[in-house]
Amino acid sequence: MKKYGERFWRGLQRWMFLTGTKAEIAGLAGDSLKLSAVPVKPEERRNDADLFIHSTNFVIVDQHARAARIIETQGDGVNWTNVQPRLITTVRQLERER
């Protein structure tokens, strides 16, 4: 996410990208955000990045740690060209609120 942000978003120094241990990320996703995140067993991984079976929702959290917007990014009827403007609109709204 950080590399993506550095490439596409100005003012990146004002944004924080969440990270942590696998257990912390799974706990936050499942317990706090109510998203699915199930670890993939090492013997079932297809590559080094194949760590979780997870939701395809993109969650934007505001400065008060509230989910400002949850956007589905994959699946039937979802087209990335329609998703990207909604992400950008939400981010710009949050920037104005700061």
Side-chain angles (χ1 to χ4, degrees):
M1 287 303 302
K2 185 175 181 181
K3 287 180 184 179
Y4 178 86
E6 289 170 344
R7 183 172 175 203
F8 293 105
W9 294 4
R10 297 181 310 264
L12 184 63
Q13 66 277 6
R14 296 182 357 199
W15 292 90
M16 293 182 293
F17 293 91
L18 182 65
T19 191
T21 66
K22 286 188 262 183
E24 290 168 333
I25 293 169
L28 176 71
D31 299 337
S32 298
L33 297 173
K34 306 300 182 206
L35 300 170
S36 62
V38 179
V40 175
K41 295 176 185 174
E43 64 273 12
E44 295 175 2
R45 294 180 187 157
R46 293 178 297 226
N47 57 55
D48 290 341
D50 192 18
L51 301 176
F52 291 98
I53 299 169
H54 58 81
S55 169
T56 57
N57 289 334
F58 191 97
V59 180
I60 299 174
V61 179
D62 70 12
Q63 63 185 345
H64 304 290
R66 296 179 300 215
R69 185 132 195 202
I70 299 171
I71 300 171
E72 182 64 49
T73 62
Q74 292 183 7
D76 292 340
V78 176
N79 183 325
W80 179 248
T81 58
N82 297 329
V83 171
Q84 190 175 13
R86 293 190 347 239
L87 289 170
I88 292 169
T89 297
T90 301
V91 168
R92 287 186 178 150
Q93 287 171 345
L94 291 175
E95 286 179 327
R96 285 192 296 272
E97 292 175 10
R98 293 195 93 172

